[in-house]
């Protein structure tokens, strides 16, 4: 994901997000933690950061520009037709 978006990616070691995320929000709302970030660190551990590989990010950008944008332009009328 870091390379697709060409941005650093931060996540907890635990990848399941729904249950732990709800628990972190609830614990913060109860005042048990000062922030969701603090709850996440306490409940899930340290955040892992992944930086994008510039060469791979460039490849993903080229695929997006040369494949997906032209494809979307061609399919857009179909998307609009489905909404009517």
């Amino acid at each position: 994901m870091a390379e697709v978006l060409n941005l650093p990616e931060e996540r907890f070691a635990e990848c399941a997000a729904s249950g732990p995320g709800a628990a972190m929000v609830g614990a913060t709302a109860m005042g048990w933690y000062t922030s969701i970030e603090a709850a996440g660190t306490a409940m899930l551990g340290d955040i892992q950061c992944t930086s994008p590989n510039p060469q791979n990010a460039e490849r993903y950008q080229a695929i997006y520009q040369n494949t997906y944008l032209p494809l979307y332009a061609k399919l857009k009328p179909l998307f609009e037709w489905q909404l009517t």
Side-chain angles (χ1 to χ4, degrees):
M1 188 57 69
E3 293 169 348
V4 170
L5 298 175
N6 197 20
L7 294 169
E9 175 189 28
E10 295 180 348
R11 69 169 128 173
F12 295 104
E14 174 64 44
C15 290
S18 300
M24 289 185 293
V25 171
T28 303
M30 293 293 295
W32 298 345
Y33 297 99
T34 57
S35 68
I36 293 175
E37 291 82 7
T41 300
M43 297 169 80
L44 296 175
D46 293 330
I47 295 173
Q48 297 175 348
C49 184
T50 303
S51 296
N53 176 317
Q55 291 175 327
N56 290 342
E58 187 176 315
R59 288 182 186 135
Y60 279 113
Q61 183 62 24
I63 292 169
Y64 175 73
Q65 292 291 330
N66 298 324
T67 302
Y68 290 104
L69 281 181
L71 181 61
Y72 176 76
K74 290 179 181 179
L75 293 175
K76 186 176 179 183
L78 177 62
F79 299 147
E80 291 170 347
W81 174 80
Q82 291 176 338
L83 295 175
T84 60

